[in-house]
Amino acid sequence: MFQRRSRGQKYTFWLRDGFRDGESEERIKSYHRPHRRSSMQKSEYTCDHRPRVYKVFENVAQKYDIMNDAMSLGIHRVWKDALLHVMHPQPGAQLLDVAGGTGDIAFRFLEYIRLQEERQKRRAARSSQTPSWQDISNNYSTEDESRESRAVVCDINKEMLKVGKQKADSLGVSAGLSWVVGDAEELPFDDDQFDIYTIAFGIRNVTHIDQALQEALRVLKPGGRFMCLEFSKVNNPILSSIYDAYSFQMIPVIGEVIAGDWKSYQYLVESIRKFPNQEEFKGMIEDAGFYCVKYYNLTGGVVALHSGFKL
């Protein structure tokens, strides 16, 4: 399904299969926000490296998950689990996962929420073995008023989203999950829509990082949390030299052997080196308007998890 924007703007492509059966069009449209830029911004917007980035991820989409396992020796799964542990989402939370095409963060989020709901039910059962009529009434009213947790996966690359949707189908995951083609610098959502915004290993591929951070702030609700998992700078000299040698000498080779694509993975390695270090990126998040910004180094700084809040 396509929703057409006004003249001069792009289409927004909604993969609707992730919505519950019978869900109304209004629910989908409630997320949508045609976003305009000035003529000056449009000129800057078109002169960037996004076509190259799009082509890179279009080329690697089918082998993306296999390559993540091969390149990181499976450690990327630990990093993503750490993101959910720090996030600690509660039932009813609304997640926007940007650049999340294959769905790894969204799947973890929904599973985490499911486990949280089961724990809450067990605790409630233990604490009220013989509930009064008032307790029963309160429980029913709480259940009726409770909001369903949702995960919206937003990615600029349709091929990546197709792979994610295929994974969701194979895992039998559909409830509370939807897929949207959208640009991190121009998100197709209304203001104050989400409780949590995540972007994992994607923000370094954004042309204008400051614009993406402003968009993250805009779509988050007051009190909402921004979380970014990204490759960063290793401070230990020995580990840094090993990491550099592995990155530049091995990762493109692995890309050629597994995905038949040396150039794309050479680009990915180079993009990691150009990304700001932990403190610089922390400052960019603060400049965008987030508060209580902090970061956690994972695997000696190979990856950093940055977090901030919209007040």
Side-chain angles (χ1 to χ4, degrees):
M1 167 185 144
F2 292 84
Q3 288 191 347
R4 183 156 188 182
R5 295 185 173 196
S6 59
R7 176 173 290 184
Q9 292 180 303
K10 300 178 181 178
Y11 288 99
T12 297
F13 192 135
W14 297 89
L15 302 180
R16 192 182 183 280
D17 305 68
F19 286 87
R20 293 175 297 173
D21 291 339
E23 188 160 29
S24 67
E25 289 290 312
E26 285 71 23
R27 173 72 179 186
I28 300 174
K29 291 177 181 177
S30 69
Y31 284 124
H32 184 256
R33 173 186 183 268
H35 186 67
R36 299 177 181 270
R37 291 171 179 248
S38 67
S39 58
M40 182 181 298
Q41 286 175 311
K42 286 181 180 178
S43 175
E44 180 186 20
Y45 186 63
T46 55
C47 299
D48 57 36
H49 64 258
R50 286 188 310 158
R52 180 186 181 188
V53 172
Y54 189 96
K55 189 66 177 176
V56 165
F57 284 95
E58 186 177 53
N59 291 343
V60 305
Q62 293 298 326
K63 299 287 187 178
Y64 185 78
D65 290 329
I66 296 173
M67 280 299 301
N68 278 347
D69 282 330
M71 290 189 303
S72 71
L73 306 178
I75 301 175
H76 76 99
R77 299 174 184 270
V78 178
W79 296 331
K80 291 168 183 174
D81 288 342
L83 169 62
L84 265 294
H85 177 75
V86 175
M87 183 193 300
H88 190 51
Q90 297 301 304
Q94 308 290 299
L95 170 73
L96 173 63
D97 184 33
V98 175
T102 59
D104 276 3
I105 302 302
F107 297 147
R108 282 171 167 79
F109 169 82
L110 292 173
E111 177 63 13
Y112 196 101
I113 292 293
R114 186 186 68 79
L115 294 175
Q116 287 288 92
E117 289 173 341
E118 289 182 356
R119 291 191 191 100
Q120 290 182 2
K121 289 177 182 178
R122 288 196 296 268
R123 285 198 296 266
R126 287 195 299 267
S127 63
S128 57
Q129 295 296 328
T130 55
S132 66
W133 69 268
Q134 186 65 50
D135 293 331
I136 295 173
S137 176
N138 289 340
N139 286 339
Y140 273 116
S141 63
T142 300
E143 288 174 6
D144 291 340
E145 295 171 3
S146 64
R147 182 181 56 169
E148 178 190 12
S149 290
R150 298 194 64 83
V152 178
V153 181
C154 181
D155 199 295
I156 198 171
N157 195 294
K158 288 182 284 188
E159 293 304 314
M160 293 288 286
L161 286 175
K162 286 179 183 177
V163 172
K165 184 64 173 60
Q166 290 167 2
K167 283 173 60 179
D169 291 342
S170 66
L171 294 170
V173 178
S174 60
L177 180 62
S178 53
W179 309 83
V180 178
V181 172
D183 186 348
E185 296 182 35
E186 192 176 0
L187 293 171
F189 308 108
D190 286 333
D191 299 354
D192 306 331
Q193 286 285 304
F194 300 96
D195 300 298
I196 307 163
Y197 172 113
T198 56
I199 181 166
F201 306 113
I203 203 162
R204 74 180 186 279
N205 296 309
V206 173
T207 302
H208 307 106
I209 295 175
D210 55 346
Q211 175 65 23
L213 293 173
Q214 289 287 343
E215 282 290 273
L217 186 74
R218 181 182 65 78
V219 300
L220 280 170
K221 299 175 184 177
R225 190 174 193 181
F226 167 86
M227 303 189 77
C228 177
L229 193 65
E230 188 55 87
F231 290 107
S232 199
K233 297 296 183 288
V234 178
N235 294 321
N236 183 292
I238 297 175
L239 179 59
S240 179
S241 61
I242 296 172
Y243 177 51
D244 284 344
Y246 176 76
S247 297
F248 284 99
Q249 297 178 26
M250 291 302 299
I251 287 180
V253 174
I254 295 172
E256 178 66 28
V257 171
I258 295 179
D261 191 340
W262 176 293
K263 289 185 178 179
S264 292
Y265 286 93
Q266 181 69 29
Y267 162 78
L268 292 177
V269 172
E270 292 170 355
S271 71
I272 292 170
R273 294 302 177 271
K274 294 175 182 177
F275 191 71
N277 65 32
Q278 290 89 326
E279 283 293 328
E280 290 171 342
F281 188 48
K282 177 176 180 284
M284 294 177 70
I285 298 169
E286 290 171 336
D287 290 344
F290 288 98
Y291 292 85
C292 304
V293 180
K294 61 176 66 175
Y295 62 85
Y296 311 85
N297 282 326
L298 307 177
T299 318
V302 172
V303 165
L305 170 58
H306 283 76
S307 169
F309 292 87
K310 174 179 178 177
L311 299 183

